Structures are given as structure tokens and as C-alpha cells.
Amino acid sequence: MTMPPPALASPGSPADEPPRPLRLPVAVALAVAAGLAVLAALPPYDLWWLAPVGVALLAAAVHRRRLRAGYGLGVLTGAALFVPLLQWTSIAGDWLPWIILGVSQSAILGLIGLAGAWTSPLVDRWRWLWPLVAGLLWTAQEALRDRAPFGGFPWGRLAFSQGDAPSLRLAAIGGAPLVTFVVAAAGGALVAVFWRRSLLAAGGFAAVAVVLMAAPAAVPLTMPSGETATIALVQGNVPRLGLDFNAQRRAVLDNHVNATRRLAADVAAGRQKKPDLVVWPENSSDIDPLRNADAAAAISGAADTIGAPILVGTLQRTDKPGDIYNVGILWNPTTGPDLAQQYAKRHPVPFAEYMPLRSIARLVSEKVDLVRNMLPGDHPGVIDTGDGGIVGDVICFEVAYDGIVRDTVDGGAQLLAVQTNNATFNEAEARQQLAMVRLRSVEHGRNGLMVSTVGVSGFVDAEGKVHDSTGFNTAAVVVRDINLGGPRTLATRSGIWPEVIVVVLTVIALAAVLPLRRRRETDSSNGEQATEER
């Protein structure tokens, strides 16, 4: 979409008169286009270069608008982004929870529109600040959305759109917050090109946008340098996609057992290399093998046949009916489960794995009571598998949360593993999740993997490249040699501090606008008084 030029100062008007806002119908169109641009930048579309364009379109739409209008335009951008992006949530249930989730995320993204309107005097006075302000606002908004409400929902971050872009390499320096900041700053430079005062200034801002998006290609990456391990991923598939998955527990377990036995046969025949570790996905055994002898025997048989430990995704019951843990547990040949090497999911998903406000939620969906009460684990997923290395295990959506992944590397993880179950979603969701694995591998300088019940599964190297990826809704087994370990990246060492710095600078920038807005109101009042006197 081509934006019309802003209203420029007329001959004889003050040289420092700021441009007026765009007409409201144009601003609405730009706000919608902004959300659609960011949507197209994310998987499964992967048009990464549209991410800064989306930032620029929203910045243009809200510039010099009233605060309420700015917020409304920001919400409109959020709706155009999140409602289609999160459509896969409706596959597992009613359409109403999907819309509620999309609208709630849009309400938070709307704060960018409000803040963009608020900071208009700042970028009018110092146009060179527009890239900085855009970077701060988008990164601070993501910091909020990553944490609230109910522990946050980080889906749709700008950083997760950059899997094929040079800017992905910045994750090794400052993690997802730095990637988002630079992408949004490039968008700020683009809108400054449009809202220009001279061709020279426009050219300068255009050069800034190009440098911000292209220069990260020169960032050196930390590569794994330890021993090599052979890892096998088993994607057993399910009889039927959707919520019926939960009624197919034994069939799903048998699929993964049988696929592992077939791998063992290939190893015995010399068609495949013997793995040091086999990784099964989340919910590969929804029957608790610590309480069910048949399930335990099936898993032990698979481990004994392949002659390697299996990282099993399972649910563990408690003595209180309805309370469960979502667990990855190491199951060794001969000796069986190693209770010292297991990880319980630390961030269960609200309204999907546990139900806040259950009595109120029943008014929204009749399927509320299908959700049990998943309890959070109390320690990072650091699992010593022996020859397979020390695995940093996270489960499903946890890969979206910076701190949960970082804690595993701080705890000594040599390899990042994401166990997930996409049987209740679709391929778009799986590819969105795989994009997060790509960023995490670059961020921490570790090879990674994602293994799903139904796909997409695959390996990711420390440059963010995907290897041996599988299809969706199909059974597959992939085996790959990967390097373990390596030095800790600057992003790992700096932890949460890049994000903290951005939030502090955002608060300072927002506060710095107050005297400018007061001065503008005073000048406006004096101008009206002078007109009346004349």
C-alpha cells in the first residue's frame, strides 16, 4: 500500500510546524495494513522483510492523533495480526476462546498506538529519534505481552518473523528483544523517510533502514564445539487430529513404541546409525508409565530394543484426582525410568492446561471442564542423558519464553530440545513454533531440535538453519549427528538486562514527552488568544 504524502507546511507558515495527522480513513487503512504486514512476515508466510513495513504503517497511522484514536488504531492493527495468526486455537475448541485470545493480545498491542500518538511531539522535534522510539515501543510492548495476563503469551513477536533474515543473528547478542528492537527501529526509519522534510533527510533515513536490516549479516555466531552425539527423533503420529487425541492415548503410545522398534530394526540391518539418544514428543505417553505397568513395559521394551535412552513426553498423575504434571523423563534401557533426570513443565498454558477463573470460564465455553489442573514444575529442564549430552528440555509453548529456555543453558545444557504436541492444532502453529526454536539456537549458540507427535519435527543448527524437517500429520523418524555444547553467547550471559534497559529507556522517552506536550498546549493557547485580540 502506498501512503499519501502528509500535509506539509504552507508558504509563510512556521518552519517548525509539525505535519498534521493523516485523514482518519487513510489511518484506518494503514493500521489494518500494518497488522497484515506483520502477519505475512511470520510463519507460515515468512515474508520477513514486511515486519519493518508493518511497524512503519502503524507509526504513520497514529502520528499526531489524539491518544484515544491512537489506541484504537493500535488495537485495529493487533486484530488484523492476531485474529488470523491464532486461528489454530479454534481447532481445539470453540471459536469464542480464539476470538477472546486474539482480542486480548490486540488490546495490549494497542498500547503501541497510544504511545506512538503520545510521542509524536518528540519525533516532530527530533526526527532522528523516530527509529529509536519505534524500537523502544515495540520491544517494551512485547516485554509486557510476554508476562501478562496470566504469565503472558509471546506469540507474534517481531523477532519470531526473522528466521530467514540477517537480523536473526542479533539474537546471539541480545536475544529476541534485540532482534525485535532492530526490526522495529528499521520500521521507524522507514516512516521517517515518508514523513520527510528534505530529500537528503529521506535518503539518510532510508540508508539507516537498509543498514539496520542488512548489517547483522556480519555478526559472528557462536558455534557448538563439543563432542558429537547421534540423536533420533520419533514422530509417531496420531489416529485422528483434534481433541479426540486425548481419547487415543494407547494408540499414540503404541505408534511411538512401534516406530522406535522399526528404527532398531534398521540399526540392526545397518540401514541406520545407532542413536545415543531417542527423543519422543510431548504426550507420546499420556498414560502415566509410573502408575501403569503396561505403559511402562511398552516403553522399556522400546528402550531395550534400540539400546539407547528415550526422553519420553508423558503426563504424571498425583494423589489428588485432576492434578497432573506435564513431564519429560529419561527412560533407560534395562533400568527404566531415571527419576533424577526428568523435567516438569514450568509454565502450563492458562485456559488450556489449567483453568483460571473456572466458574467464569464456563460461561464462555462448555468445554472448560475438559481442562484438568496442570501443576507447574519447580526447576529448569536440564537432563543428563549420558552419551546423548546434557539436554535443555522445554515443553511446547515454553520455547516462546526467553527465561525458561535461557535457564536450561545457564544450567549446563549442551543441546536444546522442544517436546511438543501439535495434534490439537495445525501445521501453521507448528511452523510458528519451529521459528522460535531457530531463534533460540542462535540466541544460545546451541544446536536444537523440535519433536512433535504429528509434525513438524526437525533439527536446527546454531545458525538457525533447519535440517531433516518432517511433514505434518504423518509418522516419521529422523536421525542426525550433532555437535554438543560450546561457549555461552553474549545473549545468554547478559540474561534479562537488554530487555530491562529497553523498558527503562521507554519510560524515560515517554516521560520526556510531557514538557513538549505542555509547551505545545501553551503555544496553542497563546495563539488562540492573539487571534482573538486581533
Side-chain angles (χ1 to χ4, degrees), residues 52-74:
V53 174
V55 172
L57 291 172
L58 178 57
V62 303
H63 189 56
R64 284 192 52 75
R65 305 216 80 88
R66 294 182 182 274
L67 300 185
R68 184 165 56 184
Y71 179 74
L73 291 167

PDB file of all heavy atoms in Angstrom, residues 52-74:
ATOM      1  N   PRO A  52       9.317  -4.694   9.279  1.00  0.00           N
ATOM      2  CA  PRO A  52       9.517  -3.251   9.473  1.00  0.00           C
ATOM      3  C   PRO A  52       8.500  -2.410   8.715  1.00  0.00           C
ATOM      4  O   PRO A  52       8.172  -1.296   9.156  1.00  0.00           O
ATOM      5  CB  PRO A  52      10.940  -3.016   8.962  1.00  0.00           C
ATOM      6  CG  PRO A  52      11.254  -4.182   8.088  1.00  0.00           C
ATOM      7  CD  PRO A  52      10.495  -5.335   8.658  1.00  0.00           C
ATOM      8  N   VAL A  53       7.991  -2.915   7.603  1.00  0.00           N
ATOM      9  CA  VAL A  53       6.945  -2.182   6.885  1.00  0.00           C
ATOM     10  C   VAL A  53       5.704  -2.052   7.759  1.00  0.00           C
ATOM     11  O   VAL A  53       5.076  -0.991   7.822  1.00  0.00           O
ATOM     12  CB  VAL A  53       6.613  -2.889   5.553  1.00  0.00           C
ATOM     13  CG1 VAL A  53       5.431  -2.217   4.867  1.00  0.00           C
ATOM     14  CG2 VAL A  53       7.830  -2.890   4.630  1.00  0.00           C
ATOM     15  N   GLY A  54       5.321  -3.135   8.441  1.00  0.00           N
ATOM     16  CA  GLY A  54       4.181  -3.070   9.346  1.00  0.00           C
ATOM     17  C   GLY A  54       4.382  -2.051  10.455  1.00  0.00           C
ATOM     18  O   GLY A  54       3.459  -1.300  10.807  1.00  0.00           O
ATOM     19  N   VAL A  55       5.584  -2.027  11.009  1.00  0.00           N
ATOM     20  CA  VAL A  55       5.889  -1.028  12.050  1.00  0.00           C
ATOM     21  C   VAL A  55       5.724   0.385  11.507  1.00  0.00           C
ATOM     22  O   VAL A  55       5.135   1.263  12.153  1.00  0.00           O
ATOM     23  CB  VAL A  55       7.321  -1.245  12.581  1.00  0.00           C
ATOM     24  CG1 VAL A  55       7.726  -0.109  13.516  1.00  0.00           C
ATOM     25  CG2 VAL A  55       7.428  -2.587  13.290  1.00  0.00           C
ATOM     26  N   ALA A  56       6.235   0.620  10.305  1.00  0.00           N
ATOM     27  CA  ALA A  56       6.162   1.953   9.698  1.00  0.00           C
ATOM     28  C   ALA A  56       4.714   2.368   9.436  1.00  0.00           C
ATOM     29  O   ALA A  56       4.332   3.519   9.668  1.00  0.00           O
ATOM     30  CB  ALA A  56       6.965   1.977   8.396  1.00  0.00           C
ATOM     31  N   LEU A  57       3.890   1.430   8.956  1.00  0.00           N
ATOM     32  CA  LEU A  57       2.499   1.762   8.642  1.00  0.00           C
ATOM     33  C   LEU A  57       1.727   2.161   9.895  1.00  0.00           C
ATOM     34  O   LEU A  57       0.949   3.128   9.875  1.00  0.00           O
ATOM     35  CB  LEU A  57       1.828   0.565   7.962  1.00  0.00           C
ATOM     36  CG  LEU A  57       2.317   0.230   6.550  1.00  0.00           C
ATOM     37  CD1 LEU A  57       1.706  -1.088   6.077  1.00  0.00           C
ATOM     38  CD2 LEU A  57       1.990   1.350   5.575  1.00  0.00           C
ATOM     39  N   LEU A  58       1.933   1.431  10.991  1.00  0.00           N
ATOM     40  CA  LEU A  58       1.235   1.806  12.223  1.00  0.00           C
ATOM     41  C   LEU A  58       1.738   3.140  12.747  1.00  0.00           C
ATOM     42  O   LEU A  58       0.953   3.981  13.205  1.00  0.00           O
ATOM     43  CB  LEU A  58       1.423   0.723  13.280  1.00  0.00           C
ATOM     44  CG  LEU A  58       0.761   1.026  14.637  1.00  0.00           C
ATOM     45  CD1 LEU A  58      -0.737   1.267  14.484  1.00  0.00           C
ATOM     46  CD2 LEU A  58       1.034  -0.094  15.637  1.00  0.00           C
ATOM     47  N   ALA A  59       3.053   3.374  12.671  1.00  0.00           N
ATOM     48  CA  ALA A  59       3.598   4.654  13.140  1.00  0.00           C
ATOM     49  C   ALA A  59       3.006   5.821  12.356  1.00  0.00           C
ATOM     50  O   ALA A  59       2.670   6.864  12.931  1.00  0.00           O
ATOM     51  CB  ALA A  59       5.123   4.645  13.020  1.00  0.00           C
ATOM     52  N   ALA A  60       2.848   5.657  11.053  1.00  0.00           N
ATOM     53  CA  ALA A  60       2.259   6.719  10.233  1.00  0.00           C
ATOM     54  C   ALA A  60       0.792   6.928  10.589  1.00  0.00           C
ATOM     55  O   ALA A  60       0.299   8.053  10.637  1.00  0.00           O
ATOM     56  CB  ALA A  60       2.404   6.369   8.751  1.00  0.00           C
ATOM     57  N   ALA A  61       0.080   5.826  10.855  1.00  0.00           N
ATOM     58  CA  ALA A  61      -1.351   5.918  11.135  1.00  0.00           C
ATOM     59  C   ALA A  61      -1.641   6.690  12.415  1.00  0.00           C
ATOM     60  O   ALA A  61      -2.614   7.450  12.490  1.00  0.00           O
ATOM     61  CB  ALA A  61      -1.955   4.520  11.213  1.00  0.00           C
ATOM     62  N   VAL A  62      -0.807   6.510  13.436  1.00  0.00           N
ATOM     63  CA  VAL A  62      -1.111   7.104  14.751  1.00  0.00           C
ATOM     64  C   VAL A  62      -0.410   8.433  14.973  1.00  0.00           C
ATOM     65  O   VAL A  62      -0.680   9.108  15.981  1.00  0.00           O
ATOM     66  CB  VAL A  62      -0.736   6.128  15.890  1.00  0.00           C
ATOM     67  CG1 VAL A  62      -1.457   4.794  15.713  1.00  0.00           C
ATOM     68  CG2 VAL A  62       0.771   5.912  15.989  1.00  0.00           C
ATOM     69  N   HIS A  63       0.482   8.833  14.070  1.00  0.00           N
ATOM     70  CA  HIS A  63       1.274  10.040  14.316  1.00  0.00           C
ATOM     71  C   HIS A  63       0.385  11.278  14.445  1.00  0.00           C
ATOM     72  O   HIS A  63      -0.426  11.576  13.576  1.00  0.00           O
ATOM     73  CB  HIS A  63       2.283  10.240  13.178  1.00  0.00           C
ATOM     74  CG  HIS A  63       3.271  11.329  13.456  1.00  0.00           C
ATOM     75  ND1 HIS A  63       4.054  11.329  14.579  1.00  0.00           N
ATOM     76  CD2 HIS A  63       3.600  12.452  12.758  1.00  0.00           C
ATOM     77  CE1 HIS A  63       4.822  12.405  14.562  1.00  0.00           C
ATOM     78  NE2 HIS A  63       4.567  13.094  13.467  1.00  0.00           N
ATOM     79  N   ARG A  64       0.533  11.972  15.544  1.00  0.00           N
ATOM     80  CA  ARG A  64      -0.156  13.223  15.879  1.00  0.00           C
ATOM     81  C   ARG A  64      -1.676  13.056  16.021  1.00  0.00           C
ATOM     82  O   ARG A  64      -2.429  14.024  15.956  1.00  0.00           O
ATOM     83  CB  ARG A  64       0.167  14.317  14.845  1.00  0.00           C
ATOM     84  CG  ARG A  64       1.577  14.877  15.055  1.00  0.00           C
ATOM     85  CD  ARG A  64       1.835  16.137  14.278  1.00  0.00           C
ATOM     86  NE  ARG A  64       0.829  17.180  14.461  1.00  0.00           N
ATOM     87  CZ  ARG A  64       0.704  17.952  15.541  1.00  0.00           C
ATOM     88  NH1 ARG A  64       1.499  17.773  16.576  1.00  0.00           N
ATOM     89  NH2 ARG A  64      -0.228  18.882  15.580  1.00  0.00           N
ATOM     90  N   ARG A  65      -2.101  11.831  16.292  1.00  0.00           N
ATOM     91  CA  ARG A  65      -3.514  11.630  16.586  1.00  0.00           C
ATOM     92  C   ARG A  65      -3.746  11.818  18.076  1.00  0.00           C
ATOM     93  O   ARG A  65      -2.821  11.778  18.892  1.00  0.00           O
ATOM     94  CB  ARG A  65      -3.976  10.235  16.168  1.00  0.00           C
ATOM     95  CG  ARG A  65      -3.707   9.884  14.717  1.00  0.00           C
ATOM     96  CD  ARG A  65      -4.810   9.045  14.154  1.00  0.00           C
ATOM     97  NE  ARG A  65      -5.949   9.867  13.773  1.00  0.00           N
ATOM     98  CZ  ARG A  65      -6.088  10.442  12.578  1.00  0.00           C
ATOM     99  NH1 ARG A  65      -5.160  10.285  11.647  1.00  0.00           N
ATOM    100  NH2 ARG A  65      -7.146  11.183  12.301  1.00  0.00           N
ATOM    101  N   ARG A  66      -5.023  11.986  18.434  1.00  0.00           N
ATOM    102  CA  ARG A  66      -5.379  12.002  19.848  1.00  0.00           C
ATOM    103  C   ARG A  66      -5.094  10.625  20.441  1.00  0.00           C
ATOM    104  O   ARG A  66      -5.094   9.618  19.736  1.00  0.00           O
ATOM    105  CB  ARG A  66      -6.844  12.370  20.031  1.00  0.00           C
ATOM    106  CG  ARG A  66      -7.164  13.800  19.595  1.00  0.00           C
ATOM    107  CD  ARG A  66      -8.630  14.118  19.850  1.00  0.00           C
ATOM    108  NE  ARG A  66      -8.953  15.460  19.400  1.00  0.00           N
ATOM    109  CZ  ARG A  66      -8.785  16.571  20.140  1.00  0.00           C
ATOM    110  NH1 ARG A  66      -8.283  16.462  21.364  1.00  0.00           N
ATOM    111  NH2 ARG A  66      -9.110  17.750  19.664  1.00  0.00           N
ATOM    112  N   LEU A  67      -4.872  10.578  21.757  1.00  0.00           N
ATOM    113  CA  LEU A  67      -4.436   9.342  22.389  1.00  0.00           C
ATOM    114  C   LEU A  67      -5.464   8.223  22.217  1.00  0.00           C
ATOM    115  O   LEU A  67      -5.106   7.072  21.939  1.00  0.00           O
ATOM    116  CB  LEU A  67      -4.152   9.578  23.875  1.00  0.00           C
ATOM    117  CG  LEU A  67      -3.073  10.618  24.195  1.00  0.00           C
ATOM    118  CD1 LEU A  67      -2.820  10.665  25.694  1.00  0.00           C
ATOM    119  CD2 LEU A  67      -1.782  10.311  23.447  1.00  0.00           C
ATOM    120  N   ARG A  68      -6.736   8.547  22.379  1.00  0.00           N
ATOM    121  CA  ARG A  68      -7.766   7.519  22.258  1.00  0.00           C
ATOM    122  C   ARG A  68      -7.804   6.964  20.838  1.00  0.00           C
ATOM    123  O   ARG A  68      -7.941   5.758  20.633  1.00  0.00           O
ATOM    124  CB  ARG A  68      -9.127   8.090  22.650  1.00  0.00           C
ATOM    125  CG  ARG A  68     -10.244   7.060  22.643  1.00  0.00           C
ATOM    126  CD  ARG A  68     -11.455   7.576  23.370  1.00  0.00           C
ATOM    127  NE  ARG A  68     -11.928   8.845  22.817  1.00  0.00           N
ATOM    128  CZ  ARG A  68     -12.932   9.538  23.336  1.00  0.00           C
ATOM    129  NH1 ARG A  68     -13.563   9.106  24.429  1.00  0.00           N
ATOM    130  NH2 ARG A  68     -13.314  10.690  22.793  1.00  0.00           N
ATOM    131  N   ALA A  69      -7.661   7.828  19.847  1.00  0.00           N
ATOM    132  CA  ALA A  69      -7.640   7.370  18.458  1.00  0.00           C
ATOM    133  C   ALA A  69      -6.399   6.537  18.188  1.00  0.00           C
ATOM    134  O   ALA A  69      -6.452   5.525  17.475  1.00  0.00           O
ATOM    135  CB  ALA A  69      -7.693   8.559  17.504  1.00  0.00           C
ATOM    136  N   GLY A  70      -5.264   6.933  18.756  1.00  0.00           N
ATOM    137  CA  GLY A  70      -4.042   6.164  18.588  1.00  0.00           C
ATOM    138  C   GLY A  70      -4.190   4.758  19.157  1.00  0.00           C
ATOM    139  O   GLY A  70      -3.778   3.778  18.525  1.00  0.00           O
ATOM    140  N   TYR A  71      -4.810   4.673  20.338  1.00  0.00           N
ATOM    141  CA  TYR A  71      -5.008   3.352  20.932  1.00  0.00           C
ATOM    142  C   TYR A  71      -5.944   2.510  20.069  1.00  0.00           C
ATOM    143  O   TYR A  71      -5.686   1.323  19.829  1.00  0.00           O
ATOM    144  CB  TYR A  71      -5.581   3.477  22.347  1.00  0.00           C
ATOM    145  CG  TYR A  71      -5.830   2.137  22.996  1.00  0.00           C
ATOM    146  CD1 TYR A  71      -4.766   1.361  23.456  1.00  0.00           C
ATOM    147  CD2 TYR A  71      -7.122   1.644  23.137  1.00  0.00           C
ATOM    148  CE1 TYR A  71      -4.988   0.123  24.031  1.00  0.00           C
ATOM    149  CE2 TYR A  71      -7.349   0.407  23.714  1.00  0.00           C
ATOM    150  CZ  TYR A  71      -6.286  -0.346  24.165  1.00  0.00           C
ATOM    151  OH  TYR A  71      -6.509  -1.580  24.730  1.00  0.00           O
ATOM    152  N   GLY A  72      -7.011   3.107  19.597  1.00  0.00           N
ATOM    153  CA  GLY A  72      -7.951   2.367  18.753  1.00  0.00           C
ATOM    154  C   GLY A  72      -7.302   1.858  17.478  1.00  0.00           C
ATOM    155  O   GLY A  72      -7.543   0.717  17.049  1.00  0.00           O
ATOM    156  N   LEU A  73      -6.457   2.664  16.863  1.00  0.00           N
ATOM    157  CA  LEU A  73      -5.757   2.222  15.656  1.00  0.00           C
ATOM    158  C   LEU A  73      -4.776   1.100  15.970  1.00  0.00           C
ATOM    159  O   LEU A  73      -4.607   0.163  15.181  1.00  0.00           O
ATOM    160  CB  LEU A  73      -5.039   3.402  15.007  1.00  0.00           C
ATOM    161  CG  LEU A  73      -5.953   4.462  14.382  1.00  0.00           C
ATOM    162  CD1 LEU A  73      -5.162   5.723  14.050  1.00  0.00           C
ATOM    163  CD2 LEU A  73      -6.623   3.920  13.115  1.00  0.00           C
ATOM    164  N   GLY A  74      -4.138   1.182  17.138  1.00  0.00           N
ATOM    165  CA  GLY A  74      -3.235   0.106  17.546  1.00  0.00           C
ATOM    166  C   GLY A  74      -3.979  -1.204  17.770  1.00  0.00           C
ATOM    167  O   GLY A  74      -3.495  -2.280  17.401  1.00  0.00           O
TER     168      GLY A  74
END
